[in-house]
Coordinates of all heavy atoms in Angstrom, one line a residue:
R1 N -52.4 37.5 10.5 CA -52.3 38.9 10.9 C -52.2 39.2 12.4 O -51.9 40.3 12.8 CB -53.6 39.7 10.3 CG -53.7 39.6 8.8 CD -54.8 40.5 8.3 NE -55.0 40.3 6.8 CZ -54.2 40.9 5.9 NH1 -53.3 41.8 6.3 NH2 -54.5 40.7 4.6
R2 N -52.4 38.1 13.2 CA -52.2 38.3 14.6 C -50.8 38.6 15.0 O -50.5 39.1 16.1 CB -52.7 37.0 15.4 CG -54.2 36.8 15.3 CD -54.6 35.5 15.9 NE -54.0 34.4 15.2 CZ -54.1 33.1 15.6 NH1 -54.8 32.8 16.7 NH2 -53.6 32.1 15.0
I3 N -49.8 38.2 14.2 CA -48.4 38.4 14.5 C -47.8 39.5 13.6 O -46.6 39.5 13.4 CB -47.6 37.1 14.4 CG1 -48.0 36.2 13.2 CG2 -47.9 36.2 15.7 CD1 -47.3 36.6 12.0
E4 N -48.7 40.3 13.1 CA -48.2 41.4 12.2 C -48.1 42.7 12.9 O -48.9 43.1 13.8 CB -49.2 41.6 11.0 CG -48.7 42.6 10.0 CD -49.6 42.7 8.8 OE1 -50.6 41.9 8.7 OE2 -49.3 43.5 7.9
F5 N -47.0 43.5 12.6 CA -46.7 44.8 13.1 C -46.9 45.8 12.1 O -46.4 45.7 10.9 CB -45.3 44.8 13.7 CG -45.1 43.9 14.9 CD1 -44.7 42.5 14.6 CD2 -45.3 44.2 16.2 CE1 -44.6 41.6 15.6 CE2 -45.1 43.3 17.2 CZ -44.8 42.0 16.9
A6 N -47.6 46.9 12.4 CA -47.9 47.9 11.4 C -46.7 48.8 11.0 O -46.6 49.2 9.9 CB -49.0 48.8 11.9
R7 N -45.8 49.0 11.9 CA -44.6 49.8 11.7 C -43.3 49.0 11.9 O -43.3 48.1 12.7 CB -44.6 51.0 12.6 CG -45.7 51.9 12.5 CD -45.4 53.2 13.2 NE -44.9 52.9 14.6 CZ -44.2 53.8 15.3 NH1 -43.8 55.0 14.8 NH2 -43.8 53.5 16.5
F8 N -42.3 49.3 11.1 CA -41.0 48.6 11.2 C -40.5 48.8 12.6 O -39.9 47.9 13.2 CB -40.1 49.0 10.1 CG -38.7 48.4 10.2 CD1 -38.5 47.1 9.8 CD2 -37.6 49.0 10.8 CE1 -37.3 46.4 9.8 CE2 -36.4 48.4 10.8 CZ -36.2 47.1 10.4
A9 N -40.6 50.0 13.1 CA -40.0 50.3 14.4 C -40.7 49.6 15.6 O -40.1 49.4 16.6 CB -40.2 51.9 14.7
D10 N -41.9 49.0 15.3 CA -42.6 48.3 16.4 C -42.3 46.8 16.3 O -42.7 46.0 17.2 CB -44.1 48.5 16.2 CG -44.5 49.9 16.4 OD1 -43.8 50.6 17.2 OD2 -45.5 50.3 15.9
A11 N -41.6 46.3 15.3 CA -41.3 44.9 15.1 C -40.3 44.5 16.2 O -39.6 45.3 16.8 CB -40.7 44.6 13.8
P12 N -40.3 43.2 16.6 CA -39.4 42.7 17.6 C -37.9 43.2 17.3 O -37.5 43.2 16.2 CB -39.5 41.2 17.6 CG -40.9 41.0 17.0 CD -41.1 42.1 16.0
Q13 N -37.2 43.5 18.4 CA -35.8 44.0 18.2 C -35.0 43.0 17.4 O -34.2 43.4 16.5 CB -35.2 44.2 19.6 CG -33.8 44.9 19.6 CD -33.3 45.1 21.0 OE1 -32.9 44.1 21.7 NE2 -33.4 46.3 21.5
D14 N -35.0 41.7 17.7 CA -34.2 40.7 17.0 C -34.6 40.7 15.5 O -33.7 40.5 14.6 CB -34.3 39.4 17.6 CG -33.4 39.2 18.8 OD1 -32.5 40.0 19.0 OD2 -33.6 38.2 19.6
A15 N -35.9 40.9 15.2 CA -36.3 40.8 13.8 C -35.8 42.0 13.1 O -35.3 41.9 11.9 CB -37.8 40.8 13.8
R16 N -35.7 43.2 13.7 CA -35.2 44.4 13.0 C -33.7 44.2 12.8 O -33.1 44.6 11.8 CB -35.5 45.6 13.9 CG -37.0 46.0 13.8 CD -37.2 47.3 14.6 NE -37.3 47.0 16.0 CZ -36.6 47.6 16.9 NH1 -35.6 48.5 16.6 NH2 -36.7 47.4 18.2
F17 N -33.0 43.7 13.8 CA -31.5 43.5 13.7 C -31.2 42.5 12.6 O -30.3 42.7 11.7 CB -30.9 43.0 15.0 CG -29.4 42.8 14.9 CD1 -28.6 44.0 15.1 CD2 -28.8 41.6 14.6 CE1 -27.2 43.9 15.1 CE2 -27.4 41.5 14.6 CZ -26.6 42.6 14.8
A18 N -31.9 41.4 12.5 CA -31.8 40.4 11.4 C -32.0 41.0 10.1 O -31.3 40.7 9.1 CB -32.7 39.2 11.6
T19 N -33.0 41.9 10.0 CA -33.3 42.6 8.7 C -32.1 43.5 8.3 O -31.7 43.6 7.2 CB -34.5 43.5 8.9 OG1 -35.6 42.7 9.2 CG2 -34.8 44.3 7.6
G20 N -31.5 44.2 9.3 CA -30.3 45.0 9.0 C -29.1 44.2 8.5 O -28.4 44.5 7.6
V21 N -28.9 43.0 9.1 CA -27.9 42.1 8.6 C -28.2 41.6 7.2 O -27.3 41.5 6.4 CB -27.7 40.9 9.6 CG1 -26.6 40.0 9.1 CG2 -27.4 41.3 11.0
A22 N -29.4 41.3 7.0 CA -29.8 40.8 5.6 C -29.6 41.9 4.6 O -29.1 41.7 3.5 CB -31.3 40.4 5.6
A23 N -29.9 43.2 5.0 CA -29.7 44.3 4.0 C -28.2 44.5 3.8 O -27.8 44.7 2.6 CB -30.2 45.6 4.7
F24 N -27.3 44.3 4.8 CA -25.9 44.4 4.6 C -25.4 43.3 3.6 O -24.6 43.6 2.7 CB -25.2 44.2 6.0 CG -23.7 44.3 5.9 CD1 -23.0 45.3 5.2 CD2 -23.0 43.3 6.6 CE1 -21.6 45.3 5.2 CE2 -21.6 43.4 6.6 CZ -20.9 44.4 5.9
A25 N -25.9 42.1 3.8 CA -25.5 41.0 2.9 C -26.0 41.3 1.5 O -25.2 41.1 0.5 CB -26.1 39.7 3.4
E26 N -27.2 41.8 1.3 CA -27.7 42.1 0.0 C -26.9 43.1 -0.7 O -26.6 43.1 -1.9 CB -29.2 42.5 0.1 CG -30.1 41.4 0.6 CD -30.3 40.3 -0.4 OE1 -30.9 40.4 -1.4 OE2 -29.7 39.2 -0.1
L27 N -26.4 44.1 0.0 CA -25.6 45.2 -0.6 C -24.2 44.6 -1.0 O -23.7 45.0 -2.1 CB -25.4 46.3 0.4 CG -26.6 47.2 0.7 CD1 -26.3 48.2 1.8 CD2 -27.0 48.0 -0.6
L28 N -23.6 43.7 -0.2 CA -22.4 43.1 -0.5 C -22.5 42.2 -1.8 O -21.5 42.1 -2.5 CB -21.8 42.3 0.6 CG -21.4 43.1 1.9 CD1 -21.0 42.1 3.0 CD2 -20.2 44.0 1.6
R29 N -23.7 41.7 -2.0 CA -23.9 40.8 -3.1 C -24.2 41.6 -4.4 O -24.4 41.0 -5.5 CB -25.0 39.8 -2.8 CG -24.7 38.9 -1.7 CD -25.9 37.9 -1.4 NE -25.9 36.9 -2.4 CZ -26.8 35.9 -2.4 NH1 -27.6 35.7 -1.4 NH2 -26.7 35.0 -3.4
G30 N -24.4 42.9 -4.3 CA -24.7 43.7 -5.5 C -25.9 44.5 -5.4 O -26.2 45.4 -6.2
G31 N -26.8 44.3 -4.4 CA -27.9 45.1 -4.2 C -29.1 45.0 -5.2 O -29.8 45.9 -5.4
K32 N -29.2 43.8 -5.7 CA -30.2 43.6 -6.8 C -31.6 43.8 -6.2 O -32.5 44.3 -6.9 CB -30.1 42.2 -7.4 CG -31.1 41.9 -8.5 CD -30.8 40.5 -9.1 CE -31.8 40.2 -10.2 NZ -31.6 38.9 -10.8
Y33 N -31.9 43.3 -4.9 CA -33.2 43.4 -4.3 C -33.2 44.3 -3.1 O -34.2 44.2 -2.3 CB -33.7 42.0 -4.0 CG -33.8 41.1 -5.2 CD1 -33.0 40.0 -5.4 CD2 -34.8 41.3 -6.1 CE1 -33.1 39.2 -6.5 CE2 -35.0 40.5 -7.2 CZ -34.1 39.4 -7.4 OH -34.3 38.6 -8.5
S34 N -32.2 45.1 -2.9 CA -32.2 45.9 -1.7 C -32.8 47.3 -1.8 O -32.8 48.1 -0.9 CB -30.7 46.1 -1.2 OG -29.9 46.7 -2.2
G35 N -33.4 47.5 -3.0 CA -34.1 48.8 -3.2 C -33.2 50.0 -3.1 O -32.1 50.0 -3.7
S36 N -33.6 51.0 -2.3 CA -32.8 52.2 -2.1 C -31.9 52.2 -0.9 O -31.4 53.2 -0.5 CB -33.7 53.4 -2.0 OG -34.6 53.3 -0.9

């Protein structure tokens, strides 16, 4: 928990960008686990 961030907006910039890329990939694959 020492490296945990309470809000997505507070996470490291690179971590948020990588998450956006992952979401893009998940949508291209069909969106089975991409939620809404």
